[in-house]
């Protein structure tokens, strides 16, 4: 039997330890829901969080979108293995084979491999139609179906556009009509503007334990993340959705949401995850599949800029747990909270990450190299018989979170393809990484945090271009740059982004093939919000960059 008072006290201790302002906890066990909140929903106002506080669910949204899509499959209006072109005849990406053969199943389980090069689709109702139109030239990160590689926004946006064409409604309306209303939900919505501000949790960043939580300057994700990341909800509403997976497709009110066959398909159609330890060894349709000491657990996580969410469904135990917080994500926090609850309910606890094996005989040269895609760059190198990974942080993320622009980790071998990546920072939990798919004597991919990064053939040798901007619209300028960072031209690198303390000036350094190419790219995104001058810079000394 769960001791709620003891659990609340323990959660309060953990919130203080991690400097997280609040968390809402929900437990669905044998059809009954217990929910409560601890802490404050805004660190500045100190207003207490309650069970009715609404949090951003981030990528947990994908489970909701997948569930709504499975209704269309039940109705015979869509097929998991029919080409996307069945409903979107003009669908096209750079690879003709992918254009013709990508299916909803590839989108649901993140094996489509399409780069998230969708530009700025705007904030209108037609945002997903525009995203699909914008990827006509999008390249492949990997061949279709070759490996798992998480798509934060694009894959589920394509899926949403298929749903819109079939149903003749916008995605937001589809979710309301197909899920929220039949489930009887009154606190769940698809957009930031729909959330009652008096009930909304405020997102926070934690740049140091001494400073504690500070209100995030970004209140919500762009609308392009909608089907993959923009649902806001309460713990009770999330568990009402989770009930569908525990009761063969039925809502707690008895309404059939999807068939029992659809639930089985969502759970049993799986692909392996190259890095199996932090999230889970397999990915199903809108669900992560975990193994907790022999019990199969279905899950999805989510995070926005300052909020985080964790959902775990244990069918064999008749149990579902949700944690919503207004900071994070921190894996060790959620594990400590859930492991406080699980034993009282007779359920298995969450396994620890595996211990490294220093005796493994590895040829370190097989792993060395640069692995990257727009927005992320990992350099693996060997020194004195040890592997190290250097991660180049997105400059906008570094500015937002106070992180250095380059972080180096030691890689401790777990197996021939898996490594533990401990962190010296009290703000980071240990991670794992997979370096795998050996061809021509070297690994082809690096997979961590569910994202896949292909090996690059050579490092960029292009020109360093310094862009010095006089800003006319501070918010618009930095929002545009955040969008631009994900759309870097192939081979380009963004090595610096800094602002003056008064916000009127900014300096950015981009490496590409010419001043003109950088100017064209930069003006397309930031032109309306600043006047910018462009200069070729010496590579080693550009705006004080460290020499290599």
């Amino acid at each position: 039997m769960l001791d709620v008072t003891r659990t609340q006290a323990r959660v309060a201790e953990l919130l203080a330890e991690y400097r997280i302002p609040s968390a809402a906890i929900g437990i669905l066990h044998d059809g009954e829901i217990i929910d409560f909140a601890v802490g404050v929903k805004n660190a500045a106002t100190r207003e207490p969080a309650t069970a009715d506080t609404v949090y951003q669910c981030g990528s947990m949204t994908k489970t909701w979108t997948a569930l709504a899509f499975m209704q269309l499959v039940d109705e015979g209006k869509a097929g998991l293995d029919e080409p996307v072109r069945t409903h979107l005849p003009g669908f096209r990406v750079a690879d003709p084979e992918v254009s013709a053969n990508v299916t909803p199943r590839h989108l649901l389980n993140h094996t489509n491999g399409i780069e998230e090069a969708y530009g700025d689709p705007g904030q209108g109702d037609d945002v997903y139609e525009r995203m699909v139109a914008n990827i006509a030239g999008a390249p492949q990160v990997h061949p279709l179906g070759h490996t798992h590689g998480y798509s934060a926004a694009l894959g589920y946006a394509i899926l949403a556009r298929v749903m819109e064409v079939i149903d003749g409604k916008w995605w937001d309306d589809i979710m309301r009509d197909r899920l929220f209303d039949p489930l009887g939900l009154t606190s769940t919505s698809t957009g930031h503007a729909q959330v009652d501000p008096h009930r909304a949790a405020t997102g926070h960043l934690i740049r140091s334990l001494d400073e504690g939580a500070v209100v995030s300057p970004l209140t919500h994700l762009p609308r392009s993340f909608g089907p993959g990341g923009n649902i806001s909800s309460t713990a009770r509403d999330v568990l009402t959705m989770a009930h569908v997976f525990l009761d063969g497709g039925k809502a707690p009110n008895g309404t059939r949401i999807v068939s029992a066959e659809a639930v089985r398909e969502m759970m049993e159609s799986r692909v392996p995850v190259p890095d199996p330890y932090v999230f889970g060894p397999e990915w199903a349709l809108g669900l992560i599949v975990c193994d907790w000491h022999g019990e199969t657990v279905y899950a999805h996580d989510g995070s926005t800029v300052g909020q985080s969410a964790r959902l775990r469904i244990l069918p064999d135990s008749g149990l579902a747990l949700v944690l919503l917080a207004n900071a994070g994500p921190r894996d060790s926090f959620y594990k400590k909270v859930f492991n406080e609850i699980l034993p009282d309910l007779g359920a298995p606890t969450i396994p620890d990450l595996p211990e490294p094996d220093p005796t493994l005989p590895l040829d370190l040269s097989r792993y060395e190299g640069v692995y990257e895609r727009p927005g992320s760059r990992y350099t693996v190198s060997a020194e004195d018989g040890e592997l190290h990974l250097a991660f180049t942080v997105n400059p906008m993320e570094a500015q937002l979170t106070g992180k250095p622009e380059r972080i180096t980790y030691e890689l401790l071998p777990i197996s021939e393809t898996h490594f533990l990546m401990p962190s010296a920072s009290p703000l980071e939990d240990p991670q794992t990484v997979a370096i795998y798919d050996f061809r021509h004597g070297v690994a082809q991919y690096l997979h961590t945090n569910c994202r896949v990064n292909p090996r690059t053939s050579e490092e960029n040798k292009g020109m360093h271009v310094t862009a010095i901007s006089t800003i006319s619209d501070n918010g618009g300028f930095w929002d545009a740059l955040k969008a631009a960072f994900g759309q870097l031209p192939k081979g380009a690198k963004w090595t610096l982004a800094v602002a003056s303390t008064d916000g009127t000036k900014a300096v950015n350094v981009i490496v590409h093939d010419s001043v003109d190419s950088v100017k064209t790219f930069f003006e397309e995104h930031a032109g309306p919000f600043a006047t910018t001058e462009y200069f070729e810079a010496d590579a080693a000394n550009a705006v004080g960059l460290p020499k290599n």
Side-chain angles (χ1 to χ4, degrees), residues 35-112:
D35 60 333
F36 57 86
V38 182
V40 297
K41 63 184 184 182
N42 185 311
T45 66
R46 308 304 297 174
E47 186 177 354
T50 72
D52 289 328
T53 298
V54 175
Y55 293 80
Q56 295 172 12
C57 293
S59 288
M60 189 192 294
T61 299
K62 293 178 173 68
T63 303
W64 300 80
T65 299
L67 198 58
F69 184 81
M70 293 305 292
Q71 287 189 353
L72 296 173
V73 175
D74 275 342
E75 294 163 9
K77 296 176 181 177
L80 289 168
D81 298 307
E82 64 187 10
V84 165
R85 278 185 172 174
T86 303
H87 302 284
L88 308 180
F91 179 83
R92 182 165 63 89
V93 293
D95 187 320
E97 181 182 347
V98 176
S99 303
N101 296 315
V102 66
T103 68
R105 195 184 300 273
H106 291 123
L107 303 173
L108 286 160
N109 64 23
H110 302 279
T111 59
N112 61 86

Side-chain angles (χ1 to χ4, degrees), residues 34 68 72 175 184 195 218 224 242 256 311 336 339 359 383 396 401 423 427 453 466 482 506:
I34 298 171
L72 296 173
M175 299 304 289
V195 180
L218 301 179
S224 55
R256 178 160 292 284
L311 173 64
K336 289 175 182 177
N339 282 343
T359 66
E383 185 177 348
M396 265 57 81
T401 62
S423 172
L427 300 177
N453 300 270
T466 300
K482 293 182 187 77

Side-chain angles (χ1 to χ4, degrees), residues 212-296:
V214 296
V215 172
S216 171
L218 301 179
T219 57
H220 58 285
L221 294 174
R223 195 169 180 183
S224 55
F225 281 82
N230 273 355
I231 282 180
S232 294
S233 192
T234 62
R236 180 170 288 267
D237 274 13
V238 171
L239 290 177
T240 301
M241 179 270 288
H243 184 281
V244 173
F245 294 98
L246 294 175
D247 195 18
K250 290 183 181 178
N253 62 15
T255 301
R256 178 160 292 284
I257 302 301
V258 292
S259 67
E261 291 76 13
V263 170
R264 282 195 294 272
E265 186 72 22
M266 290 183 71
M267 291 179 164
E268 295 178 6
S269 175
R270 308 173 184 178
V271 295
V273 177
D275 172 23
Y277 298 112
V278 171
F279 291 92
E282 296 177 302
W283 210 283
L285 305 184
L287 294 166
I288 307 164
V289 185
C290 311
D291 182 341
W292 290 2
H293 308 289
E295 181 161 340
T296 301

